[in-house]
Structure formats: structure tokens, C-alpha cells
Amino acid sequence: QQQVKQSPQSLIVQKGGISIINCAYENTAFDYFPWYQQFPGKGPALLIAIRPDVSEKKEGRFTISFNKSAKQFSLHIMDSQPGDSATYFCAASMLGAGNQFYFGTGTSLTVIP
Amino acid sequence: GAVVSQHPSWVICKSGTSVKIECRSLDFQATTMFWYRQFPKQSLMLMATSNEGSKATYEQGVEKDKFLINHASLTLSTLTVTSAHPEDSSFYICSARRGEPQHFGDGTRLSIL
């Protein structure tokens, strides 16, 4: 059973546009929601993360929107750049070092010049 | 930011040999380390969770005698793929965690001939 569902599977955006990736979860015990960026041949790198006590978090061009009642969260990349072309994974976890992260299936983003 | 070093980054070996992959947290003590396997264009598949000084917890379907995990210290975990076969060829990624978030290594590309 997929704990975290992610869409779309792939996304093509023009340079300067907004990229939006969505995730949904079922387990209301999750209380930590990170987004990771992965380039080919590299490990995932943390991009931004949010806890359920806030509805939005912004870091530079990256924003997480969180809807606790709908059990959904999304990543918005403003002013998308070709260098943003990568695979993005959302994840969910319960606080606590031993708890695993449940990853979405990934979104391949291509930003065309 | 926190750095996780994974070595080697790429290994090619003959079928039947054993391969050891190291994962080190360079600037923090990780209470928990995770090992993932990733197939092309797919999400991360958790193989096992290991805590320093205790036996690793393997996910369902992962052969613990095939994939030996040793978490010798708070900064080092190793994954040994024993008697490797072509079907074990994959991208293996480790991560380390102390609180939030989870930090990933850059992965090891394992190719079994």
C-alpha cells in the first residue's frame, strides 16, 4: 500500500513558469513532510520540509503548501529554471530518529529554456 | 549542512563475489541509518533500518543473509551484498538521521557481470 501518493509522474514547464507537484497521504500520525530533489546518479538532497502546524513554508523560489484537513501537500517552484530539472520526491514521516520516511513515487521535472 | 559520504560510488564485479558499501556521516552522529535500493526512474525502496549497536530491521522481502548490514558506530554503517548476482545490480543509497531530516549519500552504482 502506497503511504504517500505523488502526482504528476512527469512535468514539463517553460523557463520562468511555476512547477507544481502534489502529494497526498493517509496516515494522520505523520508529522513531518520533506521534499527531496534528486539529480541523475546522485542521492536525494533535502529541498524544504514542513510540519503540520503551519500551512505554508517558503524558502527562496520553493514553497510548500500544506492542507491538513485534506491530507495533502504540494511543492511550488516559482520562476522555474533549467537547472531545476530533476526528480522530486515528497515524503512523510513521524517524528523520531528511528522512524522511516515514506516516499512518493517521484516526479520528473523538465524545465525547457 | 550535514554530509553523508558513501563509498564506493561505482563498482563492477563478477557474479558470485561479495561487495561492501560504506556509509559515513561526516559531521554528525547518526542514531539511525537507512539503506535503500533504487531502480531506474523509480522511487526509493527501503531495504533496512539500522541503529548503532543493534541488529538491522529488514523490510519484508529483503533477504537479510543476502544483504548484511553492520552499524558499527554512530558514524558508520556498511552494507555487504553477499554472493552477488546480476539481479542485484542496482543503485544503492544510504541515509543517516539524527532527529530531522534524513540526509542521503550520493549512492553506489552496483553492476554485477
Side-chain angles (χ1 to χ4, degrees):
Chain A
Q1 181 186 358
Q2 188 73 29
Q3 294 267 4
V4 178
K5 296 182 180 179
Q6 183 173 345
S7 63
Q9 185 176 359
S10 63
L11 181 61
I12 300 174
V13 173
Q14 287 256 316
K15 178 183 176 181
I18 302 173
S19 304
I20 302 175
I21 305 170
N22 301 299
C23 283
Y25 64 98
E26 285 299 323
N27 190 343
T28 55
F30 289 147
D31 51 14
Y32 180 69
F33 303 89
W35 283 91
Y36 284 85
Q37 178 189 57
Q38 185 180 28
F39 292 104
K42 295 291 186 181
L46 178 68
L47 202 57
I48 187 172
I50 197 168
R51 298 226 169 117
D53 52 344
V54 296
S55 60
E56 185 176 281
K57 183 174 181 180
K58 183 176 181 179
E59 290 183 2
R61 296 185 293 109
F62 302 94
T63 300
I64 299 179
S65 296
F66 186 81
N67 186 328
K68 188 173 181 178
S69 61
K71 293 186 286 186
Q72 296 175 348
F73 59 110
S74 60
L75 175 69
H76 296 234
I77 305 175
M78 313 300 286
D79 187 26
S80 299
Q81 299 296 313
D84 297 330
S85 298
T87 300
Y88 293 81
F89 292 97
C90 63
S93 173
M94 288 175 277
L95 283 174
N99 292 321
Q100 65 171 289
F101 280 25
Y102 294 90
F103 286 89
T105 48
T107 296
S108 176
L109 171 65
T110 302
V111 181
I112 53 178
Chain B
V3 177
V4 175
S5 173
Q6 192 171 336
H7 178 80
S9 57
W10 199 357
V11 58
I12 302 173
C13 61
K14 292 182 178 181
S15 182
T17 59
S18 293
V19 179
K20 180 184 282 188
I21 303 170
E22 287 190 353
C23 179
R24 294 180 184 272
S25 57
L26 296 183
D27 56 358
F28 69 104
Q29 292 186 323
T31 48
T32 306
M33 288 186 169
F34 303 87
W35 286 95
Y36 295 85
R37 186 172 179 175
Q38 187 177 36
F39 293 101
K41 299 189 185 299
Q42 292 192 23
S43 189
L44 295 92
M45 183 186 78
L46 180 65
M47 298 175 67
T49 302
S50 83
N51 295 293
E52 185 263 343
S54 61
K55 290 184 178 180
T57 301
Y58 290 81
E59 294 300 300
Q60 191 173 11
V62 178
E63 301 175 58
K64 59 182 179 182
D65 295 330
K66 175 76 169 177
F67 300 99
L68 299 179
I69 292 173
N70 184 283
H71 195 154
S73 72
L74 284 172
T75 58
L76 174 65
S77 177
T78 59
L79 168 67
T80 301
V81 183
T82 61
S83 186
H85 292 283
E87 58 267 28
D88 299 323
S89 298
S90 193
F91 192 52
Y92 292 88
I93 311 174
C94 72
S95 71
R97 184 176 182 184
R98 182 184 179 91
E100 312 302 342
Q102 197 175 136
H103 301 281
F104 287 85
D106 267 344
T108 297
R109 174 75 56 195
L110 175 61
S111 297
I112 309 298
L113 305 177

